[in-house]
Amino acid sequence: MSIADASNSKPPLSVRLRGQLGGYGFLLPWLLGFVVLTLGPAVSSFYLSLTDFGLMGSAKWIGAENYVRIASDDPRFWTAMKVTFTFVLLSVPLKLVFALAIAVALNKGLRGLTIFRAIFYLPSLIGGSVAIAVLWRQVFSGDGVLNQVLSALFGYEGPSWISNPSTSLYTLVLLAAWQFGSSMIIFLAGLRQIPTDMYEAASIDGASRRRQFIKITLPLLTPVIFFNAVILTIDAFKAFTSAFVVSDGSGGPIDSTLFYTLYLYQEAFTNFRFGYASALAWVLVVIIAFFTALSFMSAKYWVHYDD
Amino acid sequence: MTDTAHLPSAVEADSTPDGDKHSPMKRALIYALLTAVSFIMLYPLLWMVSSSFKPENEIFATTSLIPQEFTLDAYRRGWNGLSVSFGHMFLNSLLISVLVVVGNLISCSMAAYAFTRLQFKGRGFWFALMLGTLMMPQHAVLIPQYLMFLKFGWVNTIMPLVVPKFFAIDAFFIFLMVQFFRGIPRELDEAAIMDGAGPLRIFLKVILPLSTPVMATAAVFSFIWTWDDFFAPLIYLNDIEKYTAQLGLRTFVDATAQSDWGALLAMSTLTVLPIFILFLLFQRLLIEGIATTGMKR
Amino acid sequence: MTTVALKQIQKRYGAVEVIRGVDLQISSGELVVFVGPSGCGKSTLLRMIAGLEPISGGELAIGGARMNEKAASERGIAMVFQSYALYPHMSVYKNMSFGLETLRMPKPEIDKRVRKAAEVLQITQLLERKPKQLSGGQRQRVAIGRAIVRDPKIFLFDEPLSNLDAELRVQTRVEIAKLHADIGATMIYVTHDQVEAMTLADRIVVLRAGKIEQHGTPLEIYNKPVNRFVAGFIGSPKMNFLDVSVIERRDDGVVISLAGAKVVVPLVDRTGAGATLNLGVRPEHIKVNGAGSVHLGVLTITHIEHLGGQTIVYGRLADKQTLIVAMEGQTLLGTGETLNVSIAPEHCHLFDAEGRRLAD
Ligand SMILES: Nc1ncnc2c1ncn2[C@@H]1O[C@H](COP(=O)(O)OP(=O)(O)OP(=O)(O)O)[C@@H](O)[C@H]1O
Ligand SMILES: [Mg+2]
C-alpha cells in the first residue's frame, strides 16, 4: 500500500470531524452525566474512603484505616454482612424457583395466560414502594393479618413476626420472594424461544415430559436462569426500602434487619461519617463485583450456549 | 423484509408451544394451583384496599375482604394526617416524576441513537462503559454526589432528583432504546440520508416517530420508578413541604405511631393507585419492556 | 445528466478487501447494470457511489468532480432500495416530499413535483395511504417516485425488483426502461437476474469477487465473453463447457478432438498442439441432426424439460461429458433416445486452461 493510497483513503479533516461531531453531539448529555455524576464521584468516593471526613471540617487522609476498621473493629459491619448474605442467599433462589415454576406452568398454553401473568407481575411492579412495606409491617405484626388468618384457620396464636429478631428478616425475604413476577416474565420470554420442534422430536423419541423438561427445557434455559440470577443477586444486595420502613430506619429489632445499604445509609446520613461510609460503599461494590465475576466464571460449567 | 419497523415483540400472548397435550384433569389441576397462588399473592393487596374502607374497629376484627360498613373516614383522616396534606405531596411526586420522564426520554434516546446509528471514534468504548454502569451499584457514587449537590445548594430541592435524568444517568433506558432502535431497518436511515437529511432530522423525523412503543415503555417505567423511589427523596428532601408521597407515607407511619392503621392503609392505597392505573393501562408495554431487555425491576 | 467515473475504487473492511480496484467510465444518460454472483460486491460498489459507504481507496468522480469526501446528499443521487425503505409512519405523499422538505423547497413547488411524479407513476390515488396499505408493486412505485421527485442526475437501483413476483417484475422492468428513456438520467442498476441485465442495460458490468470481469453491451457480453466465468454467468440455460484437446494447428484454425472425433474450429490465436482447452457452446446454439458444421457427437438424452415454446434436453455425449441443448418448439423425443448434435463454427467459444477466451 503506497502512502498516496493511504492518504487517499481518508476523507479530509472537516468531513471526518462532521461525522464525529454528530455522534458526540448526541452522546453529549450522557457523556457529561457519566463524567460528572458517575466517573468523578466514583473516583472521589474512593478517595473519601481513605479519609476521615464528616459534615464539618475537611477530609483528613488516614490511608487504609477505614478499611482496617471495617474488617477488624466493627461488629455492626459483620452483622450487616450476615443479614445481607442471609437475605441474598434465601431470596434469590426462592425468587428463581417461584419464577421458573410459574413460568413453566403458564407456558402450558392455558387460556387466561395474560391475566395470570399480569397478576403475578403486579407485586414486582409495586413491591418496592413504601406502601407495600407499610402493608407488610401490618401483615406480619402481632395482631396482623397473618396471625388473624392463622388463628382463624388453625387456632394458632402467632407472635409478632416483625418485632421478633429471629423472624423479622424472613418477613423481608418473603416480601422479596413475593416479587418474583419480572423474573417470571423473563423466563416466559425465554421459554418461548425454545423451538417447538425440539419437543416434537423428543416426543417422537419417546421422552417423557419430565425428561423433556430436564433434558431440553432446563439446559436451553440456563442462559436465562444465569441472567436472572445475576440481576437478582445484584438487586438483592442493594435492597433498602423494605428494611428501612419495616424497622423505622433502625435495622432493628436488634439489628436483625440491618441490610448493608441501611447500615451504609446510617453511617453516611445519620452519623455523617462520609469517609467511613465511602469505604463501606466500596466494600459493597467489591462484593457485588466479586459475585458477578464469580457467576460469570461459573457460567461456563453450567450455562448452555448454542454457539 | 418489509418496510415497516420491526417492533420487538418477545411476548406473544396466545401462541402455545406445548399446549393441548395435557389431560383435562391435569389442566384443571394447574388452573386450580395458579388460581390459589394468585389469590395468596393478591390477598395482602386486596386486604389493604378493603381495610382502607373499613371503620377502624373492623380492620382487625375480621379477615373478610368485603367491608361490612363502607366508609371513607380513613381517607379523610389520612389525607390531612400530617402538617402538610397528602395532596400537596402527591403534587410534589407528580412534578418530580413528570420531569424525570421528560429528562429520561430526551437524554436516553439521544444516547441510544448515537450508540446505534452514528459513526464516531470510541463508540464501542463508550458503549461498553455505559453497559458497565448498568451493573454498578449507585452506592459507589452516592456520597460524592450528595456532597456535590450540597455544594450546589441543591439539597432540599428537587434538583438532585431531576437534573441527573437530563444527563441519561439511567442506563437501563438507554439499553432499552438501543434494543429497540436496532430493530428499525437501517435502510430507512440510508433512504433519509439519500434524501439529504442529517443526523438530527433522521432522529426527529424517522427514528423517534417509529419508536413510540419504546418511548411509552420508558416513560411508564420511568414514572413508576420515580414515583416509587424512596431512597433519593429520603436523602435529598428535608422539609415536609417538599416531601414526595412516599416520604410522606413513611413519616405518617411515625406520626400515627401505628395507632391509626385505617388512615395508614388508606394513604398506602392512594400512593399505589397511580402505579396500579398505569399498570392496567400499559401492562403489555411493561411486560414487553422487561422481556426484551431481560432486565428486571 | 452527468457522467460517473470510478478510478481504482477499493473497499476494505479491516483487512478484508471487498472491492479490489474497479475502473469504470459511465457516460451521461447511460443505463449501466452491475451483475455478478452473490457477495461479489455489487451493493458495496453502489453504496460507495451513493455515499453511504466510505471509499477506502481510489477516486470517484461525478460530472468530472471528485466526490469521495462529499456527503451523499451533495452528490445529486437518488437511490431505490431493495426493501423500498419507505418511511412506514408517513403517507405516500410525505414519503415523496420528505427529501424536498429537507431541501427547504417552497410548499407549492413540492406539491407540484410530488403530484407530477405521482401522475407519471400512476399512484395519484394512493398519495394519502401509508406504505403498509400498499401492495408490493405499489410500494415499488412509491420508492421510485421518491427518487424522481428530487430530479436527480443519477439514479441507483439495488435489486429493486427482487421482492416482486415474476409477472410484476417483468412489468416494472419495462416501466423502468421507459422511465430511463423519458428522463434520460444516468442510471446504475444492480441485479443478479441476467434477464433483467440483458433487457435493461446499455452496458453490462460483470463483477466477480470485487473486480470487473468484463463490461460491454449486452450482446458483446453474450457474443464475446472474455472468460469462462462471464460466459457461464450470462445466458440461460448456462453455456456448456466441453473438455477438448488440440490435435493439430492449421492455418484456418485448430483441429480438436471431441468425443473421439476430429473437429475443426476456426481460431486465430496461437495455441499449440497438445493443449487442453474448453469448448463453450450455448445450449440455444446447438443444432440437432446436422445443421451445424462443427459436429459435437451423439447425445444420449437423460432428461427433458418441456417449456412449451422451448425444450431443454439434458444428455451425455459418448465420452460421458454432459451437454444441455435448448431446442425451439416441442419434441416427441424421450429419455434414452439419441440426437446428433452440431454447432455453427461462429458459435464456438474456446477458452484456455486458465479460462481466458481465445480470440477467434
Ligand atoms: N460491513 C461489512 N463488514 C465486512 N464485510 C462486509 C460488510 N458488508 C459487506 N461485506 C462483504 O462484502 C462482500 C460484498 O457484499 P455485497 O453486499 O456488496 O454483495 P452483493 O454483491 O451485493 O451480494 P448480493 O447479491 O447477495 O446482494 C461480501 O462478501 C460481504 O460479506
Ligand atoms: Mg446486494
Side-chain angles (χ1 to χ4, degrees):
Chain A
M1 200 114 326
S2 70
I3 292 170
D5 209 321
S7 69
N8 193 359
S9 70
K10 279 214 171 135
L13 192 65
S14 63
V15 173
R16 273 180 290 149
L17 221 56
R18 200 167 34 181
Q20 305 290 322
L21 280 184
Y24 277 100
F26 278 90
L27 202 60
L28 191 65
W30 176 81
L31 209 55
L32 277 176
F34 177 72
V35 171
V36 176
L37 296 166
T38 304
L39 190 61
V43 171
S44 91
S45 117
F46 184 66
Y47 165 75
L48 283 181
S49 77
L50 302 172
T51 66
D52 180 11
F53 181 43
L55 207 48
M56 306 290 150
S58 56
K60 195 171 98 229
W61 179 266
I62 54 170
E65 203 174 295
N66 284 330
Y67 292 98
V68 173
R69 208 177 101 208
I70 288 173
S72 59
D73 191 23
D74 185 355
R76 285 197 91 205
F77 165 79
W78 290 108
T79 310
M81 287 288 274
K82 203 183 108 211
V83 168
T84 306
F85 271 87
T86 313
F87 177 74
V88 171
L89 292 178
L90 286 178
S91 71
V92 172
L94 268 180
K95 260 176 146 166
L96 279 177
V97 169
F98 277 137
L100 184 57
I102 300 283
V104 168
L106 285 183
N107 199 41
K108 300 255 179 247
L110 305 172
R111 286 224 242 128
L113 160 71
T114 36
I115 296 172
F116 281 121
R117 194 177 60 186
I119 292 175
F120 293 129
Y121 173 57
L122 181 63
S124 42
L125 192 63
I126 60 175
S129 66
V130 174
I132 299 304
V134 168
L135 173 64
W136 226 250
R137 216 172 134 143
Q138 200 289 329
V139 168
F140 290 96
S141 66
D143 50 3
V145 179
L146 179 66
N147 284 343
Q148 285 179 52
V149 172
L150 286 181
S151 83
L153 290 182
F154 310 108
Y156 173 76
E157 296 300 329
S160 168
W161 309 90
I162 289 276
S163 48
N164 181 345
S166 58
T167 51
S168 53
L169 179 58
Y170 302 107
T171 64
L172 297 183
V173 170
L174 218 57
L175 174 54
W178 186 60
Q179 301 167 44
F180 65 80
S182 43
S183 308
M184 175 204 72
I185 285 169
I186 299 170
F187 276 132
L188 263 176
L191 284 168
R192 273 152 199 283
Q193 301 293 315
I194 301 177
T196 326
D197 49 10
M198 291 239 183
Y199 292 106
E200 281 159 7
S203 307
I204 291 167
D205 292 347
S208 70
R209 288 198 149 262
R210 179 187 305 266
R211 218 178 133 67
Q212 284 178 30
F213 180 76
I214 291 170
K215 292 288 171 188
I216 299 175
T217 311
L218 270 187
L220 289 181
L221 218 53
T222 44
V224 188
I225 298 175
F226 170 70
F227 187 87
N228 266 333
V230 171
I231 298 284
L232 287 178
T233 307
I234 294 175
D235 264 28
F237 272 114
K238 298 196 283 192
F240 177 80
T241 305
S242 60
F244 186 96
V245 174
V246 164
S247 71
D248 281 328
S250 70
I254 41 177
D255 284 353
S256 62
T257 59
L258 186 67
F259 281 14
Y260 196 98
T261 51
L262 192 48
Y263 180 47
L264 176 59
Y265 166 83
Q266 290 177 356
E267 284 298 298
F269 299 102
T270 315
N271 304 328
F272 297 109
R273 286 198 278 263
F274 291 133
Y276 194 65
S278 296
L280 285 174
W282 273 99
V283 170
L284 179 63
V285 171
V286 169
I287 290 172
I288 291 180
F290 175 77
F291 272 87
T292 310
L294 200 68
S295 348
F296 274 92
M297 281 190 295
S298 80
K300 68 165 172 282
Y301 298 107
W302 64 278
V303 177
H304 168 96
Y305 289 109
D306 272 339
D307 28 42
Chain B
M1 276 304 292
T2 66
D3 60 349
T4 36
H6 283 289
L7 315 180
S9 175
V11 189
E12 264 320 309
D14 287 312
S15 69
T16 59
D18 62 347
D20 299 332
K21 291 171 208 155
H22 289 276
S23 63
M25 264 301 283
K26 220 166 164 187
R27 275 173 164 271
L29 203 75
I30 295 174
Y31 269 119
L33 214 73
L34 287 174
T35 312
V37 176
S38 311
F39 181 74
I40 294 172
M41 287 190 63
L42 286 187
Y43 183 81
L45 292 176
L46 296 172
W47 181 86
M48 171 176 84
V49 176
S50 94
S51 297
S52 71
F53 295 112
K54 291 175 182 172
E56 186 71 11
N57 54 15
E58 195 191 320
I59 295 179
F60 295 101
T62 161
T63 51
S64 158
L65 289 180
I66 297 147
Q68 282 155 9
E69 194 191 327
F70 185 91
T71 166
L72 287 175
D73 225 32
Y75 285 86
R76 241 168 264 129
R77 287 197 312 276
W79 191 256
N80 294 313
L82 292 171
S83 61
V84 170
S85 93
F86 262 89
H88 187 81
M89 296 185 283
F90 271 94
L91 284 180
N92 288 340
S93 280
L94 186 67
L95 176 69
I96 293 171
S97 302
V98 167
L99 287 175
V100 166
V101 168
V102 173
N104 273 337
L105 288 192
I106 295 175
S107 64
C108 294
S109 64
M110 285 172 70
Y113 177 64
F115 282 134
T116 50
R117 289 306 218 259
L118 301 177
Q119 304 287 338
F120 54 94
K121 271 218 173 65
R123 184 171 82 161
F125 173 74
W126 295 121
F127 188 67
L129 276 183
M130 188 275 291
L131 288 182
T133 61
L134 262 181
M135 297 262 175
M136 204 185 80
Q138 279 307 297
H139 306 87
V141 295
L142 180 68
I143 291 164
Q145 271 184 10
Y146 178 82
L147 295 172
M148 183 169 71
F149 293 137
L150 192 67
K151 202 170 276 165
F152 291 173
W154 285 4
V155 167
N156 204 19
T157 72
I158 64 169
M159 302 291 269
L161 308 178
V162 168
V163 173
K165 312 292 178 180
F166 283 83
F167 293 91
I169 205 75
D170 276 338
F172 171 83
F173 294 115
I174 303 180
F175 186 60
L176 182 78
M177 292 174 190
V178 162
Q179 298 288 82
F180 189 90
F181 288 178
R182 280 186 178 152
I184 299 177
R186 201 168 268 276
E187 285 193 343
L188 292 182
D189 301 45
E190 293 178 342
I193 290 174
M194 297 309 296
D195 271 344
L200 183 64
R201 189 163 158 82
I202 295 175
F203 179 59
L204 293 177
K205 295 285 178 176
V206 179
I207 301 291
L208 281 188
L210 289 173
S211 303
T212 40
V214 77
M215 290 296 144
T217 309
V220 176
F221 268 127
S222 221
F223 188 94
I224 291 178
W225 293 344
T226 312
W227 184 271
D228 255 2
D229 189 22
F230 175 63
F231 192 64
L234 175 70
I235 290 174
Y236 287 112
L237 303 178
N238 306 330
D239 292 345
I240 194 161
E241 299 90 60
K242 307 250 167 68
Y243 273 15
T244 62
Q246 304 293 326
L247 271 186
L249 184 59
R250 142 80 198 126
T251 311
F252 196 41
V253 175
D254 283 349
T256 60
Q258 303 181 38
S259 57
D260 191 354
W261 275 109
L264 209 46
L265 292 172
M267 290 306 106
S268 294
T269 306
L270 276 190
T271 59
V272 181
L273 189 64
I275 300 177
F276 186 67
I277 290 170
L278 287 176
F279 167 75
L280 288 184
L281 293 177
F282 299 108
Q283 195 225 115
R284 202 184 156 75
L285 275 183
L286 295 174
I287 285 174
E288 257 175 26
I290 290 176
T292 50
T293 56
M295 286 291 160
K296 72 131 266 146
R297 196 71 71 96
Chain C
M1 315 313 105
T2 195
T3 60
V4 179
L6 311 184
K7 277 196 213 109
Q8 277 301 305
I9 291 284
Q10 297 175 342
K11 178 71 195 181
R12 284 181 294 270
Y13 288 109
V16 189
E17 208 170 351
V18 176
I19 300 291
R20 302 181 300 160
V22 166
D23 281 305
L24 188 66
Q25 288 284 338
I26 299 173
S27 30
S28 191
E30 199 177 7
L31 199 168
V32 171
V33 174
F34 292 171
V35 289
S38 187
C40 70
K42 306 179 293 285
S43 300
T44 308
L45 194 54
L46 197 72
R47 292 164 53 81
M48 281 197 285
I49 298 172
L52 293 172
E53 205 70 72
I55 297 169
S56 314
E59 189 180 74
L60 167 72
I62 293 177
R66 180 181 160 99
M67 284 290 144
N68 291 40
E69 292 78 26
K70 285 271 173 27
S73 54
E74 298 164 24
R75 298 186 185 189
I77 288 178
M79 182 156 169
V80 176
F81 293 84
Q82 176 174 0
S83 62
Y84 318 138
L86 300 179
Y87 311 121
H89 55 298
M90 297 182 194
S91 66
V92 169
Y93 185 99
K94 277 279 169 199
N95 262 282
M96 288 167 65
S97 67
F98 183 79
L100 302 178
E101 282 164 13
T102 310
L103 293 173
R104 298 180 195 282
M105 191 177 277
K107 275 251 148 47
E109 173 69 13
I110 293 180
D111 193 64
K112 211 175 82 193
R113 287 206 188 189
V114 170
R115 295 199 181 277
K116 181 158 165 252
E119 211 165 290
V120 171
L121 294 165
Q122 300 170 358
I123 49 174
T124 307
Q125 73 286 3
L126 306 176
L127 281 177
E128 294 316 313
R129 293 213 198 153
K130 292 273 174 68
K132 226 183 279 176
Q133 302 161 315
L134 301 178
S135 71
Q138 290 168 333
R139 287 180 203 182
Q140 179 61 66
R141 282 157 192 274
V142 177
I144 293 174
R146 188 170 63 178
I148 63 177
V149 282
R150 284 194 301 131
D151 206 6
K153 289 174 280 189
I154 300 167
F155 281 85
L156 306 180
F157 297 86
D158 192 353
E159 308 201 19
L161 308 184
S162 58
N163 282 341
L164 301 179
D165 63 35
E167 194 187 335
L168 213 51
R169 201 167 346 177
V170 174
Q171 191 186 327
T172 318
R173 195 173 77 207
V174 173
E175 277 169 22
I176 289 177
K178 215 156 63 193
L179 185 76
H180 179 237
D182 287 350
I183 61 179
T186 310
M187 292 186 175
I188 305 177
Y189 188 106
V190 165
T191 181
H192 54 236
D193 178 10
Q194 47 141 338
V195 179
E196 251 169 62
M198 294 295 286
T199 52
L200 277 175
D202 292 328
R203 192 146 52 110
I204 292 179
V205 175
V206 183
L207 289 164
R208 173 162 68 155
K211 280 188 96 76
I212 294 183
E213 292 285 309
Q214 185 175 8
H215 61 88
T217 65
L219 290 184
E220 270 168 22
I221 304 260
Y222 180 83
N223 291 331
K224 294 217 156 53
V226 296
N227 56 31
R228 259 192 75 160
F229 172 78
V230 175
F233 197 78
I234 297 290
S236 174
K238 268 180 74 147
M239 184 185 274
N240 297 291
F241 295 103
L242 300 172
D243 292 332
V244 297
S245 48
V246 178
I247 295 176
E248 188 192 344
R249 165 109 211 159
R250 297 198 326 210
D251 283 349
D252 58 341
V254 288
V255 180
I256 56 176
S257 133
L258 181 65
K262 289 181 183 174
V263 178
V264 183
V265 177
L267 182 71
V268 289
D269 218 348
R270 301 207 62 77
T271 185
T276 325
L277 302 180
N278 264 295
L279 173 66
V281 287
R282 295 201 182 274
E284 59 271 30
H285 290 153
I286 297 175
K287 298 279 184 286
V288 180
N289 299 333
S293 59
V294 178
H295 193 63
L296 296 174
V298 176
L299 184 75
T300 310
I301 300 173
T302 53
H303 179 64
I304 297 187
E305 286 175 353
H306 300 282
L307 302 181
Q310 219 187 16
T311 306
I312 313 288
V313 177
Y314 297 78
R316 264 199 207 97
L317 293 172
D319 61 352
K320 300 285 185 245
Q321 298 205 64
T322 58
L323 194 71
I324 303 174
V325 180
M327 292 161 54
E328 284 307 310
Q330 304 181 353
T331 179
L332 295 173
L333 291 168
T335 51
E337 295 186 53
T338 57
L339 286 174
N340 249 322
V341 287
S342 59
I343 188 165
E346 67 269 24
H347 288 146
C348 288
H349 306 270
L350 275 176
F351 302 98
D352 66 14
E354 280 78 52
R356 283 181 311 229
R357 177 186 192 81
L358 295 170
D360 39 359

